[in-house]
Amino acid sequence: MCGIAGIFHIKESAGVVDRALLTAMNNTQFHRGPDEGGVHIEPGVGLAHRRLSIIDISTGQQPLFNDDGSVAIVFNGEIYNFQDLRQELIAKGYQFKTHSDTETIVYAWIEWGEECVKHLRGMFAFAIWDRNRQQLFIARDRLGIKPLFFATLATGEFMFASELKVLLAHPRLKRDIYLPAIEDYFTFGYIPEPNTIFKDVFKLSPGHTLTLTRGMVEPVIKAYWDVPFTQHPDFIKENTEAQLVEQLRQAIDVRMVSEVPLGAFLSGGVDSSAVVAMMAGLQKDPVNTCSIAFNEADFNESEFAKEVAQQYHTNHWEKTVAVDDFELLDKLALLYDEPYADSSAMPTYRVCELAKQRVTVVLSGDGGDEVFAGYRRYRWHMNEERVRSRIPLGFRKPVFGLLGELYPKADWAPRIFRAKTTFQSLARTSVEAYLHSVSILNDQQRNDLFSDQFKRDLQGYHSIEVFKRHAANCQTDDPLSLIQYLDMKTYLVGDILTKVDRASMAHSLEVRVPFLDHKLIEWSMNVPSAQKLHGQEGKYVLKKALEPHLSNNILYRDKMGFAVPVAKWFRGPLKERLKQSVLSEQMLDSGYFNADYLRQLVTQHQSGLRDHSAALWTLSMFEAFLRQVLSADSAVSQVA
């Protein structure tokens, strides 16, 4: 696991890359690779790398070159099938100098060109400079586990890096705010690919490559993989559960190769427990497991983690942290570089901090909910979908739309009694309704939040465009598969994987995610939706498959999540801090917000009249971004 960066002069008359500048940029991501650093400069090209040594510790330094030095690579990630690829390439006549997975990519590029990514099984973001072709080739893994940011300066310099802060270290990068990204942020709580908060900086989307040839003005960006809904050759309708266990076991097995200490996160939930159970059957020594316990019962799952640890005799260690863990608040904005509003980033940071004390690599259960339909919102959406499928939109929109306006809001009530939200969803199309259900602030709230001028500057842009773009590419009519697909393209990469990457790399910890093995996903798309969401039971087929391995106490208990008590904080110990943040001069003078509505949100929440904790956390993280990432002397302009 590493950090990569580079500068490429696009023009034919290639300029000289400033070594000192590139080195300084690279050092802003020192935490991603504290073991070693390397920089290579040649006319018009500069490649930089920070290394966290995992495989081939002695000879895997980067940038790494082919035998004649004409091809160079900087690489972040792990290729799990590199040994098989290595043997295939040796049979074709290639000679290897190292035992690293990095060198395998170099010769895969020489042999297969852009098609090399289709041969790779793993998580990765890498850049290859091919001097003979005068070409820069960049790729990101299929699910977006590893990040990749890029930007092009007005001077014709193309830059890329593993984190946004690396590009922000370049003095000529404009920091113009991209206004549609603000609309997206207050909808999703993060900024979906391929955009960032800055107009001129982008993320390479998962499953995409980017190619720049010297003299070309624009990069060529191509998709090489998407979630498939075609028949998988290994899928057999009978005995799905046994097949699932075998697919998962294979995905975990290939992720257990490491020359440094390896372990697993163990929350006591279904997914992390499944990973530990499979790992225990694949190694002789006890599995190293770690978990965070909270000092408040409503947020503490540690007893379930202990149950699994005892069942599989793991080397388990646990740290109890205070629920009121405010120390990280000021670190989050600097950690994520752009507005990011998932409060579970705080305990995630702590569990990564704990894990690094014992191991360098951990396996996690992330992705299980998206792949096997574990979120409660899937259940609610499918309940509503049964109504939408029977009543035409032309009738639903006016009738349920009116009921949604008239019915009183009841945040305090159980979801089943919140008819206002249900009516609002039934008045929408399936895609619009799902956006409504996942939005941090819904359409009406964002309309109230934003200033009149900002709404004019948006020029009609609405976050539904994100979902519509992805829905248009989804090759299935199945309603559950559609929202799983939307989550894989947005929430999974923009929230979950972003959270884990930044939190883990802040501690120089590598996290591997077997549920996001692309072969497992390709197989799982053939599992009928009724076996994923069976009645009101999410992840049904996974739970049934795991019954021989885990107790019903683990498999069928209510999902807790990895939460912190934000609502309570904002009415208690963070009461004054919230006011200072959300109602700060910087927020009120930004031009984005309706000041009266900001005051209303704070007042209603702190009086106990309404629970606006999600919206207020999102606002406070935006203020932290303005204050900490955008320095006072930054020339920030508003760009629609």
Side-chain angles (χ1 to χ4, degrees), residues 496-510:
I496 301 299
L497 294 175
T498 295
K499 173 179 63 182
V500 174
D501 176 80
R502 303 304 187 280
S504 61
M505 294 313 299
H507 299 289
S508 304
L509 177 76
E510 176 175 306

Side-chain angles (χ1 to χ4, degrees), residues 527-584:
V527 177
S529 288
Q531 288 184 259
K532 295 176 182 175
L533 181 59
H534 185 73
Q536 301 301 301
E537 191 70 58
K539 285 193 289 204
Y540 179 77
V541 67
L542 177 63
K543 293 173 181 177
K544 294 296 290 183
L546 292 171
E547 283 183 353
H549 305 276
L550 296 166
S551 72
N552 286 359
N553 191 39
I554 298 296
L555 295 174
Y556 295 104
R557 67 184 177 88
D558 290 339
K559 186 178 179 67
M560 285 183 69
F562 210 25
V564 292
V566 176
K568 178 182 173 182
W569 287 356
F570 286 161
R571 293 185 181 123
L574 296 184
K575 185 173 183 178
E576 291 306 313
R577 180 170 179 157
L578 175 69
K579 291 179 181 177
Q580 294 170 7
S581 172
V582 174
L583 303 179
S584 69

Side-chain angles (χ1 to χ4, degrees), residues 155-384:
T155 54
E157 295 169 84
F158 175 88
M159 307 185 298
F160 65 88
S162 293
E163 295 192 19
L164 181 53
K165 60 173 55 72
V166 180
L167 302 185
L168 293 176
H170 196 295
R172 290 193 298 276
L173 179 68
K174 291 182 180 179
R175 299 189 178 194
D176 297 341
I177 296 294
Y178 182 54
L179 296 190
I182 298 178
E183 154 77 359
D184 287 344
Y185 170 69
F186 284 98
T187 302
F188 298 105
Y190 54 89
I191 298 167
E193 268 74 352
N195 296 315
T196 71
I197 190 63
F198 299 109
K199 178 178 180 289
D200 296 320
V201 184
F202 302 91
K203 302 158 188 160
L204 183 61
S205 293
H208 281 67
T209 62
L210 181 154
T211 306
L212 262 174
T213 304
R214 181 66 48 72
M216 289 175 54
V217 177
E218 296 290 337
V220 176
I221 298 176
K222 296 179 182 178
Y224 68 88
W225 185 87
D226 201 356
V227 179
F229 296 96
T230 53
Q231 181 65 37
H232 191 279
D234 296 334
F235 183 81
I236 305 170
K237 289 184 179 180
E238 295 75 23
N239 207 11
T240 304
E241 294 158 18
Q243 294 175 68
L244 195 162
V245 168
E246 182 55 30
Q247 290 286 334
L248 182 58
R249 184 180 283 115
Q250 288 179 16
I252 291 170
D253 191 24
V254 299
R255 283 163 176 77
M256 293 176 65
V257 176
S258 175
E259 295 180 16
V260 295
L262 177 142
F265 292 142
L266 180 56
S267 69
V270 172
D271 303 327
S272 67
S273 299
V275 170
V276 170
M278 297 299 106
M279 290 177 71
L282 289 166
Q283 66 180 50
K284 294 180 180 178
D285 297 329
V287 179
N288 296 309
T289 57
C290 67
S291 65
I292 288 290
F294 291 105
N295 64 347
E296 195 167 307
D298 290 346
F299 299 89
N300 190 17
E301 291 186 284
S302 62
E303 64 177 288
F304 302 106
K306 289 176 183 175
E307 178 182 327
V308 177
Q310 290 169 2
Q311 179 182 352
Y312 286 100
H313 307 289
T314 73
N315 289 326
H316 187 65
W317 68 103
E318 172 190 294
K319 181 179 180 180
T320 299
V321 298
V323 171
D324 296 344
D325 182 12
F326 308 137
E327 182 185 336
L328 295 178
L329 287 174
D330 285 332
K331 291 184 179 180
L332 292 180
L334 295 174
L335 194 64
Y336 291 91
D337 298 327
E338 60 179 343
Y340 178 81
D342 188 341
S343 60
S344 69
M346 298 175 72
T348 301
Y349 182 95
R350 290 301 185 205
V351 77
C352 290
E353 182 179 54
L354 173 65
K356 183 59 179 180
Q357 296 172 13
R358 303 288 183 91
V359 298
T360 306
V361 178
V362 293
L363 273 62
S364 85
D366 290 318
D369 286 312
E370 288 82 2
V371 176
F372 291 105
Y375 292 123
R376 281 190 291 264
R377 62 177 179 262
Y378 293 164
R379 181 178 66 200
W380 289 107
H381 181 84
M382 294 305 293
N383 289 342
E384 294 166 354

